[in-house]
Amino acid sequence: MTIPTRRSEMTKLRLSITMSLDGYVAGPDQSEDNPLGVGGTELHQWFFPLREFRRMHGEQGGEVDASSAVVEERWANIGATIMGRNMFGPVRGRWPDELWRGWWGEDPPYHHAVLVLTHYPREPLKMEGGTTFYFVGDGIEAALAHAKDAARGRDVSLAGGAGTVNQYLAAGLVDEIDISVAPVILGAGARLFDGLKPGMVKLKQIRAVDAPSVTHIKYELG
């Protein structure tokens, strides 16, 4: 893997994620037709009407409310993203071909290097708008090292899904968490903090924002 690099020891790994009241970040039975699982889209109803969401997808208009500044803050100073393979797409096991190019069309909303965790190698996938997907098979710490290099002094976003996030939390590698709590009960699915032992993650709350249909709570990890 060759990624343009400039190291920075100050680079943070930042998690921003939406969660149901009962702790799920996606519903059950995720599939190509239902990537967020049953009920999963309900988690993001606060986000879809926003001007910031529409801009990410090349559209005009949209609403502005208390969530707008939170979304802008989340994207500020991000130079690379890490995600699990299940978030990149529904293909499991060995890649049968390279036809799957992500959920986001030819111009994904990242516009920087995206490190995809996988057990199976694949050539980098260069998209429009500056996004390149790199497929990393040598573990979460290696992926983070590559992402920090690619970020060139800016921060790294940890995108998900829950399994990937929980691995990074268990390893003590996450610096900030910004959780959007939606007033939704999913009852099953992919759960944040699943498998973490008591005391493994120490949180210091640094911000809370009450917004329409959601509450945003930000923590530093010690």
Side-chain angles (χ1 to χ4, degrees):
M1 177 185 300
T2 302
I3 304 175
T5 64
R6 187 174 74 193
R7 288 188 178 276
S8 172
E9 297 303 321
M10 300 301 293
T11 296
K12 293 181 180 179
L13 180 61
R14 294 160 46 189
L15 167 65
S16 300
I17 200 162
T18 298
M19 181 180 75
S20 68
L21 280 173
D22 53 346
Y24 294 98
V25 298
D29 302 322
Q30 297 176 62
S31 66
E32 183 173 350
D33 293 330
N34 197 6
L36 295 176
V38 177
T41 56
E42 295 300 314
L43 295 174
H44 304 280
Q45 293 304 313
W46 65 271
F47 185 38
F48 297 144
L50 292 184
R51 178 187 63 188
E52 289 71 25
F53 176 83
R54 296 181 65 84
R55 283 180 177 176
M56 287 169 57
H57 295 85
E59 300 175 358
Q60 301 296 318
E63 300 176 7
V64 176
D65 62 24
S67 291
S68 298
V70 173
V71 174
E72 290 179 352
E73 177 186 297
R74 289 176 174 181
W75 281 93
N77 198 42
I78 295 296
T81 293
I82 296 172
M83 68 174 59
R85 176 169 169 179
N86 290 359
M87 182 170 177
F88 176 73
V91 182
R92 303 292 183 261
R94 297 187 180 278
W95 301 98
D97 50 48
E98 297 192 355
L99 294 178
W100 182 261
R101 297 168 65 84
W103 301 104
W104 307 276
E106 291 301 305
D107 186 7
Y110 300 101
H111 312 300
H112 52 231
V114 179
L115 289 298
V116 181
L117 291 162
T118 177
H119 294 297
Y120 300 98
R122 178 174 171 174
E123 290 299 310
L125 177 58
K126 188 173 183 179
M127 309 293 285
E128 297 175 10
T131 299
T132 300
F133 293 101
Y134 296 93
F135 301 89
V136 183
D138 44 357
I140 62 172
E141 293 189 6
L144 180 56
H146 290 312
K148 285 185 174 182
D149 285 348
R152 299 185 175 191
R154 291 180 289 169
D155 292 337
V156 175
S157 172
L158 180 57
T164 295
V165 168
N166 291 337
Q167 288 183 64
Y168 276 98
L169 288 170
L173 297 173
V174 181
D175 298 294
E176 291 182 1
I177 302 178
D178 199 352
I179 299 177
S180 298
V181 182
V184 175
I185 303 294
L186 290 181
R191 197 165 199 168
L192 194 63
F193 306 119
D194 193 29
L196 299 183
K197 297 178 181 179
M200 183 176 287
V201 177
K202 299 185 184 299
L203 304 171
K204 176 184 177 182
Q205 183 174 318
I206 57 176
R207 190 257 287 139
V209 175
D210 183 18
S213 301
V214 68
T215 301
H216 308 285
I217 310 173
K218 187 174 182 179
Y219 303 92
E220 290 180 345
L221 281 78

